[in-house]
Amino acid sequence: MSRLAATIVIFAGFFLIGKLFILWGILLPNIATELAMSEIVSGALFSLFSVGMMLGAVLGGKYASRFEFMPLLASLFSINTLLLLMVSMLSSWQWFLVLAVFIGVVSSTIFTIGHTLIARMYAEKRFTMMGLMDFMFSLGTFAASFFVTLLYLIEENWRLPIQVLAGVMLVLSCYAFVAARSQAKVLKGQSKAPKQTLAFGVIIKQPVFMFLALLSFGYGAVEFGNANWFVSYAQNGIGFTGEQSRNLLACFTAGMVISRLTFAFLLRFVSVHRMMLLMASASLAGVFAVKLIPSLYGIGAGNLLLGLGLGGLFPLALSAAMNIDSDNGPVLSGIAIIGNSTGVQVSSFSTGLWANFVPLSTAFWVIPVGGCLLWLATYGYSRKIKQQIQA
């Protein structure tokens, strides 16, 4: 497989998926108004998207290795394009919930394949390339706020950003198909490694990977709990304007971008297990600052610190796991995504449910609680990683 073509597809795909993930939270106030969605329905949207992510992680982790990765990626991007175009034509929220599940399944499978391919192709510099790959995801989340603001200058219509994103994803799908066909011609007549179905049970029973799942749960609860609800919290709960709220969220995504771009360099001076604990501590401080300092600069600084802590934590944790058992890369990625998606589901839905009875400014406390869980899980995982290194 051509490393360059596969890397371009994966990095560009992660950028677009990152933008897609954050769009739901950014566009939620407009979508909820037009489609008459209550807080409970809004929370259900994020939860069902997470259910789809969990299903995609199971299917991708177990069965993706039975297929050629590049043609499969091309097909998945095409399917996501179609699903997004369908979302942009909706006039009621009921079908939105159904489509959210399928978009989650497809996006999660793309994640699983991307993590596996990069880890295998760049085994000699796995931490760096995994960090750069997730950096592209964070760059997409960072660009999303400005992407929406720019398109709203043309027309303040929540459907437009989704349609433009679908168009770009279609272009990437075409490139992936062309790259896959070229690769097939080069490899024609060569013997192929046998395809196999992988098993989750044996892997998840190991304590180190159980802590990986718990860390991923806390990570999803904090990252996407904040991403999904922050704009609504800042706009409806505190009283900032829509543009101010989106710019404050951009502080969070900017921190994510910076962290994922620089954490591999910092590993020259700090061990892996210590770096994870430092990042979890920064995340905890940042998420409490967002809640307890309700001023423009206080929330901006808190979001930046939260992003700096969270950004490198996921690729660092997953890379450390793949260093232990790279042959089961799809399963490890699947475990991480399942934990992440479960955290998103619990955090997003419980925030929406609680906000149906109390002000959103109170319900937002779910996110700092998730930060506490993340720190505890990271502490346990870092200890296991240290033991693995010393063994």
Side-chain angles (χ1 to χ4, degrees), residues 192-337:
K192 298 180 180 180
K195 305 300 180 182
Q196 58 179 329
T197 300
L198 302 178
F200 277 81
V202 177
I203 305 302
I204 194 61
K205 289 178 182 178
Q206 300 180 46
V208 63
F209 298 136
M210 291 180 65
F211 273 109
L212 173 65
L214 292 172
L215 185 155
S216 300
F217 175 88
Y219 185 93
V222 176
E223 181 185 11
F224 288 103
N226 190 59
N228 290 337
W229 281 107
F230 177 79
V231 171
S232 297
Y233 162 71
Q235 192 171 336
N236 302 329
I238 300 181
F240 291 119
T241 66
E243 184 174 356
Q244 285 177 322
S245 301
R246 291 192 294 270
N247 289 339
L248 285 171
L249 182 62
C251 293
F252 168 64
T253 52
M256 296 280 290
V257 168
I258 294 169
S259 179
R260 285 181 171 171
L261 191 60
T262 59
F263 87 90
F265 172 77
L266 296 176
L267 287 175
R268 299 178 183 181
F269 312 102
V270 184
S271 62
V272 172
H273 64 277
R274 286 196 180 94
M275 178 63 73
M276 285 191 288
L277 198 55
L278 286 172
M279 287 183 165
S281 299
S283 301
L284 185 62
V287 75
F288 272 97
V290 169
K291 189 67 190 71
L292 297 175
I293 312 176
S295 65
L296 185 68
Y297 293 109
I299 291 180
N303 260 333
L304 179 63
L305 183 59
L306 176 59
L308 289 171
L310 279 180
L313 186 55
F314 184 80
L316 185 59
L318 186 54
S319 297
M322 289 192 175
N323 272 354
I324 297 172
D325 190 357
S326 60
D327 291 338
N328 283 291
V331 172
L332 295 176
S333 179
I335 288 171
I337 294 173

Side-chain angles (χ1 to χ4, degrees), residues 11-89:
F11 278 30
F14 268 53
F15 175 82
L16 295 178
I17 296 295
K19 186 175 290 188
L20 170 63
F21 275 35
I22 211 75
L23 273 183
W24 302 132
I26 294 173
L27 299 175
L28 180 61
N30 301 91
I31 296 174
T33 299
E34 184 171 334
L35 302 186
M37 295 167 59
S38 67
E39 284 84 356
I40 290 181
V41 173
S42 299
L45 170 67
F46 299 130
S47 294
L48 288 171
F49 181 73
S50 300
V51 168
M53 290 285 291
M54 293 170 64
L55 292 173
V58 172
L59 294 173
K62 192 173 182 64
Y63 298 109
S65 291
R66 300 180 64 179
F67 302 92
E68 294 295 334
F69 283 148
M70 283 294 282
L72 182 56
L73 279 175
S75 301
L76 292 170
F77 283 123
S78 296
I79 295 170
N80 244 3
T81 297
L82 178 61
L83 292 172
L84 289 174
L85 290 175
M86 292 172 66
V87 166
S88 73
M89 295 185 288

Side-chain angles (χ1 to χ4, degrees), residues 294-376:
S295 65
L296 185 68
Y297 293 109
I299 291 180
N303 260 333
L304 179 63
L305 183 59
L306 176 59
L308 289 171
L310 279 180
L313 186 55
F314 184 80
L316 185 59
L318 186 54
S319 297
M322 289 192 175
N323 272 354
I324 297 172
D325 190 357
S326 60
D327 291 338
N328 283 291
V331 172
L332 295 176
S333 179
I335 288 171
I337 294 173
I338 290 170
N340 189 299
S341 301
T342 307
V344 176
Q345 183 179 358
V346 171
S347 176
S348 297
F349 184 72
S350 59
T351 301
L353 180 63
W354 197 8
N356 205 49
F357 304 101
V358 300
L360 182 55
S361 56
T362 300
F364 197 76
W365 270 109
V366 170
I367 316 303
V369 171
C372 296
L373 293 175
L374 173 62
W375 190 92
L376 291 172

Side-chain angles (χ1 to χ4, degrees), residues 78-156:
S78 296
I79 295 170
N80 244 3
T81 297
L82 178 61
L83 292 172
L84 289 174
L85 290 175
M86 292 172 66
V87 166
S88 73
M89 295 185 288
L90 293 177
S91 57
S92 63
W93 57 262
Q94 287 84 355
W95 277 107
F96 197 0
L97 300 184
V98 175
L99 291 173
V101 176
F102 289 104
I103 293 173
V105 170
V106 175
S107 300
S108 179
T109 307
I110 292 172
F111 261 14
T112 300
I113 295 171
H115 284 136
T116 303
L117 269 179
I118 293 297
R120 288 181 181 177
M121 291 190 302
Y122 298 96
E124 73 283 1
K125 44 182 177 180
R126 182 171 291 141
F127 283 106
T128 299
M129 294 305 294
M130 292 277 282
L132 287 175
M133 176 181 59
D134 285 332
F135 159 75
M136 292 302 297
F137 177 87
S138 294
L139 190 61
T141 65
F142 175 67
S145 295
F146 305 105
F147 173 69
V148 171
T149 298
L150 179 63
L151 290 178
Y152 273 15
L153 295 176
I154 302 172
E155 181 185 1
E156 191 163 340

